[in-house]
């Protein structure tokens, strides 16, 4: 563990004392280190002297940097040019007293720069080196170019998403980037835990494509059952088309998702809809029976739902314990009273964005101290602190590094 | 750490020596403990005497249990009736020598049974108690009923997914269940790491809804910029409509995703398409310019793509380093040579399913020993081993427990 441990030792934060050298960019890497920073780790975000791509989106508009400001909270900012000999030397000095290096460059980038896992492992045998890529560090597809969209395509996620009469469509949010990011976090913490027993560092790795595979669970079952057919897109219906009602229905002011998981839900939904006349009717008395007349069952629920608002449907179903939820717009989610009440979301006065909602970590460790939102500084804001105060580089040398584009 | 540590100490697996009492059901909890088992933990899956819901899906068809067999690999199976006094006593005896209890019941279920966090924390102050729910353990929406579909609705994921002219649609895979599961894994390992320093257990918690929020990053930026408008669904186009080409195009035999992220991609795509005549044309020389004529740009790429197969498009774009990927069906993904080559997927001879493809953990710890696939046993297969050999319950008492429905 880094020497910082001593001063952090008494802190009531799970990752206190852990120092992370963070080359994460865009969404995937930065989400992993965001979670580390929120758990109390010291995260040093290292960017090229021009800034990482997400920071540069300031040129587009303020809104375009919201993801950057959200995912890089509570990190220190330094610049470093790994294409210079002096830059690589600075990295090695940091690595000798760090716990984790994390990067989500394409495979081989750090190796070509001369600072890949074998080199840094030599510098610090206790280092956890964490890599996230689209397809992984080896295998025939290693060098296929990967973005959230292309992995949604190659992983099977897209084929399962959308209405059967329409083309495949991506999950709108950048689900794959974030699945990668949280798996990367998990890999790092797993290796840190192991290190408390062994004292040894590890190369840990995430391939975005591989993190999607388990999520296909229902479709994998259908695929096993039906053989090599084309994937059936089922819209908002159950992936196996074996449950009904299970759909999204149009309300007078939007949409509501309703599911019957157990038979009691269906009985209660009949009560909610004022269709007690159907109770005991064998045409509807099991999932199998209702699935056989899915269109009819969906129409029945739809005709009822169309007369009511989302809120009315939700309240009526909740009262009788039938699972449902309004389909909410992002602007509603941002102001969600429940998530604000729980402290997952909070309004912060942001130095660049003004009043804005920022999230905390979804990893909730009860009893641990909270890490309040602190916006990341301007590019290189902690260059003096890290290179000067920590590594002991003189002001003159720092000035020279700046002139020469090393930092 | 459990007494099992001693025997596991020399094992080259990151979670060797960690004992997990696993009440996970369906997808979310079982995914978290699947990852633990694959990292070398001893996972004891505890089910009611009728089996957890996913195991019961055997009654539907073999394929319906593929997710169960996939997510419960490498676990031991015991039965336990927590509604009996003797059952609760057995649980407490296990807890006194376990590291983790994990459950994804609705909030309050374990408390009502008399075996919630406060009780078990008293039994074993070093226990990590992990809970995953839809909305969390407190707050006004705590008791809203939660399933993958309803959380996709309430979290904003659905509002961002689909074509603008169509209703909102869910991400086809059970993304929310798995986002919850991997965050839960991460929370547990974080608390285990902290415990090596403090010796103390923690209550750790995941709310599925909260794990979705960060994935909305791009839409949150748009929301900040535009204010409280309705969420724009952009189909397969960029969420901010600021990049082009960025879409899924129809090939002669399916679909292909193509993105231009930097200008070089566009220049090279022009070469690939045989449209060098457009190089230098200011109408297309920046993302802003192309986004302003997005329909035209998409048509141009579409007209070219329609003449070729997915493979031809992929090869041509890859050769010039333009990011692309075929939209693959699930049956293609299951046989993906790359993931099989990397050992992420493998064919196993399964006792109940026959020849079937099973995944390994996407958390890859280089140098650690692999945990080969072992199918979970029949319900209660390890009752003797756990209750008899480990806890020392006599064969007579075990027989009585069986008769009385305790196990």
């Amino acid at each position: 563990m880094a020497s910082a441990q001593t001063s952090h030792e008494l802190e009531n934060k799970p990752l206190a004392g852990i120092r992370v050298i963070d080359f994460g960019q865009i969404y995937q890497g930065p989400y992993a280190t965001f979670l580390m920073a929120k758990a109390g780790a010291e995260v040093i975000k290292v960017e090229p002297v021009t800034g990482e791509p997400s920071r540069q989106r300031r040129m587009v508009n303020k809104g375009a940097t919201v993801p950057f400001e959200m995912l890089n909270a509570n990190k220190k900012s330094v610049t470093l040019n790994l294409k210079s000999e002096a830059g690589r030397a600075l990295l090695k000095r940091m690595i000798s007293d760090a716990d984790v290096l994390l990067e989500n460059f394409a495979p081989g980038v750090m190796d070509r720069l001369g600072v890949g896992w074998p080199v840094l492992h030599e510098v610090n045998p206790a280092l956890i080196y964490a890599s996230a890529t689209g397809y992984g560090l080896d295998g025939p597809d290693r060098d296929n170019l990967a973005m959230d969209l292309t992995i949604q395509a190659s992983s099977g996620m897209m084929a399962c998403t959308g209405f059967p009469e329409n083309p495949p469509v991506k999950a709108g949010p950048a689900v794959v980037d974030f699945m990668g990011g949280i798996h990367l976090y998990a890999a790092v913490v797993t290796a840190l835990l192991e290190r408390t027993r062994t004292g040894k560092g590890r190369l840990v790795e995430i391939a975005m494509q591989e993190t999607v595979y388990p999520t296909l669970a229902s479709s994998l079952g259908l695929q096993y059952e039906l053989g090599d057919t084309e994937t059936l897109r089922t819209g908002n219906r159950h992936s196996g088309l074996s449950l009904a009602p299970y759909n999204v229905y149009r309300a007078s002011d939007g949409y509501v998702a309703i599911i019957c998981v157990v038979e009691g839900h269906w009985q209660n939904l009949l009560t909610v809809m004022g269709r007690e006349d159907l109770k005991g009717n064998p045409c509807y008395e099991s999932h199998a029976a209702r699935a056989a007349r899915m269109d009819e069952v969906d129409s029945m629920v739809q005709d009822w739902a169309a007369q009511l608002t989302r809120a009315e449907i939700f309240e009526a179903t909740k009262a009788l314990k039938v699972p449902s939820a309004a389909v909410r717009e992002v602007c509603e989610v941002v102001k969600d009273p429940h998530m604000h009440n729980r402290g997952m979301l909070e309004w912060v006065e942001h130095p660049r964005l003004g009043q804005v909602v920022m999230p905390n970590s979804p990893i909730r460790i009860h009893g641990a101290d909270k890490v309040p939102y602190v916006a990341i500084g301007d590019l290189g804001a902690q260059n003096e602190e890290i290179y000067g105060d920590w590594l002991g580089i003189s002001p003159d040398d720092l000035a020279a590094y700046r002139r020469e584009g090393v930092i």
Side-chain angles (χ1 to χ4, degrees), chain A:
Chain A
M1 226 170 270
S3 63
Q5 188 189 5
T6 321
S7 58
H8 287 201
E9 212 149 31
L10 299 174
E11 280 188 34
N12 180 24
K13 293 167 193 162
L15 296 188
I18 300 295
R19 181 180 285 145
V20 181
I21 309 299
D22 174 17
F23 285 90
Q25 50 174 5
I26 321 279
Y27 291 167
Q28 185 175 218
Y31 183 55
T33 48
F34 165 78
L35 297 173
M36 292 177 200
K38 286 291 185 185
E42 180 189 17
V43 178
I44 302 170
K45 182 176 175 75
V46 185
E47 296 176 72
V49 295
T50 48
E52 70 126 313
S54 281
R55 195 190 277 272
Q56 293 174 7
R57 287 185 195 168
R58 275 183 202 172
M59 268 92 92
V60 183
N61 59 47
K62 267 189 176 181
T65 62
V66 167
F68 175 81
E69 299 291 359
M70 179 172 106
L71 297 174
N72 292 293
N74 303 96
K75 300 180 187 175
K76 296 174 179 173
S77 170
V78 302
T79 51
L80 191 62
N81 178 3
L82 287 179
K83 289 176 183 155
S84 71
E85 187 60 42
R88 291 190 289 274
L90 284 175
L91 174 61
K92 287 176 189 172
R93 288 184 62 182
M94 288 195 280
I95 288 301
S96 68
D97 200 14
D99 302 286
V100 178
L101 179 143
L102 182 147
E103 51 98 348
N104 61 318
F105 299 122
V109 166
M110 292 291 270
D111 290 313
R112 284 195 295 276
L113 288 164
V115 288
W117 154 251
V119 173
L120 298 183
H121 178 59
E122 192 110 333
V123 171
N124 178 358
L127 179 75
I128 312 299
Y129 183 111
S131 155
T133 61
Y135 297 90
L137 294 176
D138 57 27
D141 291 348
R142 168 190 126 124
D143 294 319
N144 288 3
L145 298 166
M147 307 279 160
D148 185 87
L149 181 75
T150 57
I151 300 289
Q152 289 211 26
S154 69
S155 66
M157 181 174 287
M158 206 178 265
C160 301
T161 302
F163 295 101
E165 64 275 20
N166 295 330
V169 66
K170 70 179 168 109
V175 175
V176 170
D177 275 340
F178 284 86
M179 281 294 273
I182 174 62
H183 279 82
L184 189 62
Y185 172 92
V188 166
V189 180
T190 300
L192 285 169
L193 174 62
E194 183 192 39
R195 197 183 65 168
T196 63
R197 191 163 47 87
T198 65
K200 291 186 186 141
R202 288 277 200 196
L203 169 62
V204 302
E205 182 201 343
I206 294 302
M208 291 155 79
Q209 184 182 50
E210 294 178 355
T211 69
V212 175
Y213 191 87
T215 74
L216 301 174
S218 298
S219 299
L220 293 169
L222 201 63
Q223 143 76 19
Y224 172 90
E225 196 61 31
L226 302 180
D228 289 354
T229 59
E230 288 203 2
T231 311
L232 298 169
R233 279 187 291 284
T234 61
N236 289 311
R237 286 176 163 177
H238 181 250
S239 298
L241 295 177
S242 59
L243 297 184
Y246 180 122
N247 214 333
V248 170
Y249 303 92
R250 211 172 354 85
S252 64
D253 62 345
Y255 294 89
V256 178
I258 302 176
I259 322 181
C260 292
V261 183
V262 298
E263 289 306 315
H265 292 154
W266 169 248
Q267 297 300 323
N268 287 353
L269 183 60
L270 286 176
T271 304
V272 172
M273 296 194 297
R275 292 303 304 268
E276 281 96 341
D277 59 302
L278 294 180
K279 289 192 182 182
N281 184 328
C283 293
Y284 309 100
E285 282 300 281
S286 70
H287 274 299
R290 292 188 299 276
R293 46 184 74 217
M294 194 174 283
D295 286 343
E296 182 198 330
V297 169
D298 273 340
S299 292
M300 186 190 309
V301 180
Q302 179 56 72
D303 290 347
W304 166 75
Q307 315 300 317
L308 303 168
T309 64
R310 297 184 309 173
E312 287 166 343
I313 294 167
F314 176 73
E315 291 306 331
T317 47
K318 183 177 180 182
L320 287 188
K321 298 190 188 303
V322 177
S324 80
V327 177
R328 297 196 300 178
E329 301 297 338
V330 171
C331 59
E332 297 177 280
V333 174
V334 171
K335 292 173 183 165
D336 178 46
H338 174 75
M339 283 197 283
H340 281 272
N341 175 292
R342 275 171 56 78
M344 170 62 187
L345 300 182
E346 57 188 352
W347 286 98
V348 302
E349 180 61 42
H350 193 280
R352 289 173 291 270
L353 298 169
Q355 282 282 317
V356 66
V357 172
M358 286 289 165
N360 278 302
S361 173
I363 296 175
R364 192 174 292 247
I365 312 284
H366 283 243
D369 290 345
K370 195 178 151 185
V371 175
Y373 182 91
V374 175
I376 190 169
D378 290 330
L379 184 61
Q382 277 77 36
N383 277 354
E384 273 80 12
E385 176 188 332
I386 299 300
Y387 299 131
D389 303 348
W390 178 31
L391 298 187
I393 309 287
S394 71
D396 284 356
D397 284 349
L398 275 182
Y401 284 157
R402 262 198 207 90
R403 277 195 310 275
E404 293 156 14
V406 173
I407 62 171

